[in-house]
Amino acid sequence: MDQMFVNIKAALVGLSDKVFPDWVGVLVSIAVSIVAIALLGPLIMMYLTLIERKVVARMQNRIGPNRVGKYGLLQPLADGVKMLIKEDIVPRNADKVLHLLAPILIVAPALLVFAVLPFGRNMTAVDLNVGILFFAAISSIGTIGIFMAAWGSNNKFSVLGGMRSVAQMISYEIPMVMSVVPVLLAVGSLSTNAIVEAQADWHWFVFTPWGFLGCVIFFLCGVAECNRSPFDLAEAESEIIAGFHTEYSGMKFALFYMAEFMSAFTISGMTTTLFLGGWQGPLLPSWLWFFLKTYGLIFIMLWFRATLPRLRVDQLMALAWKFLLPLSLVNIVATCIWHFLSDEAFFTPAAFLVPLALLVFSYWGLMKLNQPYMPEKRVYPLVD
Amino acid sequence: MFFGLGILRGMNITLMNFIRSYTRKRGSGEIGALTTVQYPEERLPEKEKFRNFPFLIYDDKPEDLRCVACDICAQDCPPRCIYIVKETDEAGKPMKKPAVFDIDFTVCMNCGICEEVCPFDAIFMDHEFEIADSDRHDKLLYHRDDLLKTNEHFHKIRPNDGREVDTRLAEAKEAKAKKDEARKKAAEAKAAAKAKAEAEKATEAKEDKPPETEKESDPQ
Ligand code: SF4
Ligand code: SF4
């Protein structure tokens, strides 16, 4: 069960090896991985839309889509058909090339990141030794796509959304990468596989003080990175219509949607990999553990969306620069302390408490420093 | 108290709603229970005061509908979606009956003014709302015969209003009958008085006749 998909792939490669020369086997192996990911990405996205609508509906005391198929299970297909048969409108004064390229440029990196996600034991499509670096680099390319879409549409709302998005992505990229550094320090490798393997035997990093904080920071920044609420300023409906994809319709619009959902998935998957032990877990097959944890995180994203109103631009920036960034820097120091105190063991009281104290203290300090100015409540002695 | 406490509280509320949407019974009205009504299969009970499109009422036979084609509703309808043509008899004299009574439901804004202004209680607002059609030019232009509905239907959808209107009509009928009678009596009295007066005049005339004849015969 655990190695089911790995065995299927091995069988396919073995089959081609019997008939064709060696190099065809290599090609088959590549093709199988590519096809699997190219199918998985859109499939995940399609059902994420359904899950999102269902979960948010339940949180708002509604039922959600339940007409197409049982429990609305075919709703994504209906949506897909709708998107495909919609008219594709390109504004007259738009930059046609940019307008066309932008959705592609947004989807491609979102799909590329799937390549380094360890879906299970031996189930990383490409075990890059710079996996995390690849992830950080590729996932920030989406920003260019968003700004291309905004600029190419020749619409002021789009440009506003695009500029917001760029400002937001650049700000959140920094604490995000900074919060990964502790993991890299602890593991000593950039490969996603090595990171997961380092968390065997319940040594999930989220159980350490720095790991927990890193997990929260990474996840929050990830939510901001893929423009999901409450950080969805780039497409704030009430202010700028739909932001950068105002001028998109039909399948191009669907591609933006797809990119958003796929990056929501990859961000959750990455958080799982880095902090929640990846596919490590007892009893159940490894890939099932990975998906369980990832969907748990996705549920939290949807939960955010159903709960929190959108942040203001200044609040968004303040959160990234004045709170998350310093905290993630302190986190690196805390990790170093942990590393030297723990002496190769995962849990020792000193190694646990000292970083914890440091982090709580800096959390408290940052909170005090970030306190917004509250004018004293006025008293009117003569009134009562 | 500390950063994020309010967020956690809010998230607790949404989570409780999420869980209760499964555990509590739909439509029970408890906090967190689903409020959705699955429309085509389930419906909320109709409220009597609900209104959307007007219909024409008739009492016994569709031919004697209450509307007298006075055109008041057509004049007062804000979007002017009522079109009335009076029926004419053979001689070309207009009758108190509409030959054409069209309401364009694509234009009607369900305001109910037609019902309010009609002095003959002939037009009322219906509860029928599932009139969607793919052809907005023909199918949603309702003609006189499509608009006709019985008084029973009116009583079924709006029992209180139906009773009220019926008593009002009955009273009006009674009053009219009384008035008619009174008028008849008055007319009779008048006729009698006239007859009497005439008779008197006649007798007077008889008495005055000689000079009159004289007068008449004067120029001769
Ligand atoms: S419905 Fe009423 S107001 Fe309208 S024409 Fe007929 S009698 Fe007159
Ligand atoms: S309900 Fe209002 S808009 Fe509709 S026909 Fe009557 S007066 Fe006109």
Side-chain angles (χ1 to χ4, degrees):
Chain A
M1 229 9 213
D2 188 20
Q3 295 295 299
M4 190 168 80
F5 298 108
V6 181
N7 290 341
I8 291 175
K9 185 181 167 187
L12 281 175
V13 175
L15 211 65
S16 84
D17 271 352
K18 275 203 197 104
V19 190
F20 302 110
D22 275 0
W23 55 270
V24 180
V26 177
L27 287 188
V28 167
S29 158
I30 295 173
V32 168
S33 302
I34 291 178
V35 168
I37 283 181
L39 286 181
L40 191 67
L43 200 73
I44 283 173
M45 171 265 173
M46 280 165 69
Y47 278 91
L48 267 186
T49 58
L50 182 67
I51 293 172
E52 160 151 41
R53 288 163 74 179
K54 279 277 186 192
V55 169
V56 173
R58 286 282 171 175
M59 289 185 171
Q60 296 166 349
N61 299 346
R62 295 182 288 117
I63 296 181
N66 64 350
R67 293 279 147 173
V68 196
K70 191 133 187 72
Y71 305 118
L73 280 178
L74 297 179
Q75 184 71 40
L77 291 181
D79 286 343
V81 170
K82 185 195 97 177
M83 286 297 184
L84 277 174
I85 59 179
K86 264 196 167 178
E87 189 185 355
D88 176 31
I89 301 168
V90 181
R92 190 171 348 120
N93 292 330
D95 188 328
K96 304 259 173 346
V97 181
L98 285 190
H99 194 266
L100 173 71
L101 278 182
I104 303 171
L105 196 74
I106 287 178
V107 168
L111 204 54
L112 274 178
V113 175
F114 276 80
V116 292
L117 276 187
F119 288 99
R121 189 175 277 116
N122 304 327
M123 273 171 68
T124 316
V126 190
D127 185 16
L128 277 184
N129 54 359
V130 286
I132 296 298
L133 210 58
F134 175 82
F135 167 75
I138 292 293
S139 63
S140 55
I141 286 183
T143 320
I144 299 177
I146 286 182
F147 201 71
M148 268 168 71
W151 188 258
S153 304
N154 192 14
N155 174 323
K156 48 185 162 301
F157 293 114
S158 295
V159 176
L160 274 178
M163 292 201 294
R164 280 183 186 193
S165 159
V166 171
Q168 174 181 336
M169 295 251 193
I170 289 173
S171 320
Y172 276 84
E173 195 85 351
I174 298 165
M176 184 164 164
V177 174
M178 285 296 173
S179 63
V180 180
V181 172
V183 176
L184 305 181
L185 284 178
V187 177
S189 166
L190 280 163
S191 148
T192 46
N193 260 1
I195 290 171
V196 176
E197 255 138 39
Q199 300 179 71
D201 308 325
W202 293 101
H203 286 182
W204 301 2
F205 290 137
V206 74
F207 297 142
T208 59
W210 55 268
F212 180 74
L213 188 66
C215 182
V216 172
I217 296 178
F218 184 82
F219 188 62
L220 282 184
C221 295
V223 174
E225 277 274 302
C226 50
N227 275 329
R228 291 193 56 88
S229 80
F231 305 106
D232 56 345
L233 284 135
E235 40 194 282
E237 302 87 0
S238 45
E239 302 151 27
I240 47 174
I241 309 177
F244 59 89
H245 57 60
T246 307
E247 295 289 2
Y248 283 88
S249 60
M251 212 50 210
K252 286 184 190 161
F253 171 75
L255 286 183
F256 282 109
Y257 225 64
M258 189 150 142
E260 182 183 322
F261 277 98
M262 288 201 304
S263 30
F265 183 84
T266 44
I267 289 290
S268 305
M270 261 303 158
T271 317
T272 307
T273 304
L274 287 170
F275 299 100
L276 298 178
W279 42 260
Q280 304 275 9
L283 299 175
L284 296 175
S286 56
W287 46 271
L288 197 57
W289 267 112
F290 174 81
F291 279 105
L292 275 181
K293 292 173 188 172
T294 306
Y295 276 103
L297 288 175
I298 285 174
F299 179 80
I300 295 182
M301 276 196 191
L302 307 181
W303 192 6
F304 277 155
R305 173 162 172 197
T307 310
L308 302 173
R310 190 178 298 124
L311 265 68
R312 244 170 26 219
V313 180
D314 61 322
Q315 289 170 333
L316 181 90
M317 290 299 161
L319 181 68
W321 290 105
K322 298 204 266 182
F323 197 72
L324 295 183
L325 181 60
L327 211 55
S328 58
L329 289 174
V330 173
N331 204 17
I332 295 175
V333 179
T335 315
C336 298
I337 297 173
W338 176 83
H339 191 68
F340 285 115
L341 289 183
S342 69
D343 216 16
E344 301 295 308
F346 187 71
F347 181 81
T348 50
F352 190 81
L353 290 177
V354 176
L356 184 67
L358 175 66
L359 290 178
V360 169
F361 175 73
S362 30
Y363 183 89
W364 178 80
L366 281 172
M367 201 182 82
K368 279 274 167 272
L369 288 174
N370 272 316
Q371 211 90 66
Y373 168 68
M374 284 274 197
E376 254 176 41
K377 199 165 183 233
R378 283 201 202 166
V379 267
Y380 301 97
L382 294 181
V383 169
D384 314 295
Chain B
M1 234 172 31
F2 72 90
F3 250 36
L5 188 70
I7 291 178
L8 291 182
R9 267 199 212 122
M11 291 185 65
N12 180 36
I13 289 174
T14 36
L15 186 66
M16 287 325 280
N17 271 301
F18 180 74
I19 295 169
R20 283 169 182 166
S21 77
Y22 288 99
T23 55
R24 297 197 168 173
K25 213 175 139 278
R26 180 157 64 89
S28 61
E30 290 168 280
I31 293 173
L34 294 175
T35 50
T36 310
V37 175
Q38 297 269 315
Y39 159 61
E41 294 95 35
E42 306 167 11
R43 284 148 193 275
L44 290 172
E46 277 173 6
K47 300 263 196 311
E48 176 166 355
K49 294 289 180 194
F50 167 64
R51 63 156 197 257
N52 54 4
F53 291 109
F55 70 97
L56 287 176
I57 202 161
Y58 69 89
D59 285 313
D60 302 318
K61 284 183 289 177
E63 291 86 61
D64 45 59
L65 66 172
R66 286 189 197 161
C67 174
V68 297
C70 67
D71 218 32
I72 291 177
C73 54
Q75 297 294 332
D76 278 352
C77 171
R80 292 282 182 141
C81 62
I82 307 180
Y83 174 69
I84 300 173
V85 173
K86 271 194 178 164
E87 203 161 301
T88 49
D89 59 8
E90 293 92 56
K93 214 175 115 220
M95 283 164 50
K96 285 186 167 184
K97 222 176 161 194
V100 179
F101 196 111
D102 289 351
I103 301 183
D104 192 347
F105 280 176
T106 56
V107 176
C108 173
M109 60 181 194
N110 316 345
C111 63
I113 287 179
C114 47
E115 169 182 329
E116 275 171 37
V117 296
C118 176
F120 298 93
D121 290 315
I123 191 164
F124 285 105
M125 303 305 283
D126 204 353
H127 284 187
E128 179 69 33
F129 55 92
E130 286 154 318
I131 61 161
D133 205 284
S134 52
D135 182 358
R136 67 179 170 138
H137 295 295
D138 280 340
K139 298 281 169 55
L140 288 176
L141 180 65
Y142 275 51
H143 304 292
R144 192 190 68 184
D145 294 336
D146 312 324
L147 291 166
L148 283 177
K149 282 187 180 159
T150 56
N151 198 11
E152 278 82 69
H153 172 78
F154 182 51
H155 273 271
K156 209 176 89 213
I157 58 170
R158 289 161 62 178
N160 291 335
D161 290 350
R163 234 172 289 130
E164 197 182 297
V165 167
D166 273 8
T167 41
R168 192 162 71 221
L169 283 180
E171 269 166 19
K173 213 172 175 185
E174 224 170 80
K176 197 173 167 229
K178 242 184 221 159
K179 217 165 148 195
D180 276 357
E181 215 168 282
R183 199 184 286 149
K184 220 180 186 175
K185 252 184 210 155
E188 264 167 27
K190 215 173 168 189
K194 210 175 168 189
K196 212 170 142 198
E198 240 151 61
E200 266 168 27
K201 220 178 180 182
T203 48
E204 248 170 54
K206 246 182 217 163
E207 281 161 19
D208 294 351
K209 218 163 194 178
E212 212 174 295
T213 43
E214 240 170 51
K215 219 181 196 177
E216 252 176 299
S217 58
D218 242 1
Q220 279 167 358

